[in-house]
Amino acid sequence: MLYIGIDLGTSACKLLLVAEDGSILNTVTKEYPLSFPHPGWSEQRPEDWWQAICRSTRLLLDKVKEQNICKEQICALAISGHSLVGIPMDREGRPLVGQVPIWSDGRAKEQARRFFETHDYNAWYETTGNGDPPACYTLFKIMWMRENQPEIYEKTAYILGSKDYINFRLTGAAGTDYSYASGTGAFDLRRMCYVDAYIRDAGLRRELFLEPGQSHELLGRLS
């Protein structure tokens, strides 16, 4: 049996074809752009991630043919990706924006500042494990969206992380894992659940945050 591993990075996606013993049979890398529309902003297009992964997969399968490996031997794939990303999705499973702030985007400084007027920073750090700069975490990015893009916020049914979005495109299943939940700025690492008070006091709807599962669980099958 063979497996495909996908790493959705900040500047490129990297695909591996891996044998059952863990040996790497082939690799493909495909870059995509990163934009900085304003000082402190860092954005990417989820569609660029998707297209890069589609092209990379085709290239990987072409290499498989050259190695006389049957692609039907590939039984599963798994993806990792950069976190602290919140893609607003509507109830029909469509992304509501073309570009999204990625992990390094710090536009939500004012939202984070106001949050810590009523919440102790050290207590937040001890609870979530998240740290400086807090503006980069998903909770505050969604606060920024609610205040600056209210029409988008009102249409948002749930938020997906970067690799969660690719998983959704691959399978049609919306889900996340504990690793991604831990980067939202609203997840209790000891209790392994969201802190409803953080979400409420940020002025956000609880249903935007998907319940996480284990990263090794089967999310769905390729559509």
Side-chain angles (χ1 to χ4, degrees):
M1 293 187 291
L2 304 178
Y3 306 89
I4 292 178
I6 303 172
D7 175 36
L8 184 69
T10 304
S11 60
C13 66
K14 283 81 73 177
L15 272 68
L16 304 175
L17 181 64
V18 184
E20 196 166 5
D21 64 1
S23 58
I24 297 173
L25 303 179
N26 234 313
T27 66
V28 172
T29 299
K30 183 71 69 173
E31 296 181 349
Y32 34 73
L34 174 63
S35 63
F36 307 94
H38 301 286
W41 292 29
S42 303
E43 294 184 344
Q44 284 183 328
R45 297 179 67 249
E47 185 63 22
D48 288 340
W49 306 334
W50 173 247
Q51 292 300 328
I53 287 175
C54 288
R55 290 194 294 270
S56 298
T57 303
R58 294 189 188 104
L59 289 172
L60 195 67
L61 292 179
D62 286 342
K63 289 187 175 184
V64 165
K65 293 178 184 177
E66 295 170 5
Q67 294 173 291
N68 293 318
I69 296 173
C70 179
K71 66 180 181 180
E72 281 72 23
Q73 292 176 263
I74 301 172
C75 63
L77 62 83
I79 178 169
S80 66
H82 54 81
S83 56
L84 316 189
V85 175
I87 304 171
M89 305 290 291
D90 69 13
R91 297 193 182 282
E92 282 70 48
R94 297 172 299 203
L96 289 164
V97 294
Q99 292 201 158
V100 295
I102 66 166
W103 63 271
S104 54
D105 190 285
R107 72 184 66 183
K109 290 180 180 178
E110 173 60 21
Q111 286 71 27
R113 185 194 66 78
R114 292 203 314 270
F115 180 86
F116 290 114
E117 286 181 348
T118 56
H119 289 277
D120 179 71
Y121 174 86
N122 290 327
W124 174 77
Y125 170 77
E126 290 291 336
T127 299
T128 66
N130 301 154
D132 287 325
C136 290
Y137 291 91
T138 315
L139 182 75
F140 308 109
K141 288 172 176 170
I142 304 174
M143 288 177 66
W144 185 94
M145 180 179 68
R146 180 177 63 82
E147 296 173 13
N148 293 274
Q149 299 173 319
E151 71 288 353
I152 299 297
Y153 178 80
E154 289 304 318
K155 294 177 182 177
T156 302
Y158 53 90
I159 298 292
L160 290 180
S162 59
K163 61 98 175 138
D164 301 331
Y165 175 74
I166 298 301
N167 278 335
F168 179 77
R169 293 289 298 266
L170 290 168
T171 67
T176 193
D177 62 10
Y178 288 107
S179 174
Y180 264 43
S182 73
T184 59
F187 194 78
D188 188 322
L189 291 180
R190 293 187 178 89
R191 296 168 53 225
M192 297 296 284
C193 65
Y194 292 108
V195 182
D196 288 343
Y198 287 167
I199 298 173
R200 181 193 66 233
D201 295 346
L204 305 180
R205 305 193 309 274
R206 174 63 179 80
E207 62 267 22
L208 297 180
F209 297 82
L210 296 175
E211 292 299 330
Q214 297 288 352
S215 59
H216 59 77
E217 291 177 4
L218 178 66
L219 177 66
R221 298 189 179 277
L222 289 181
S223 63

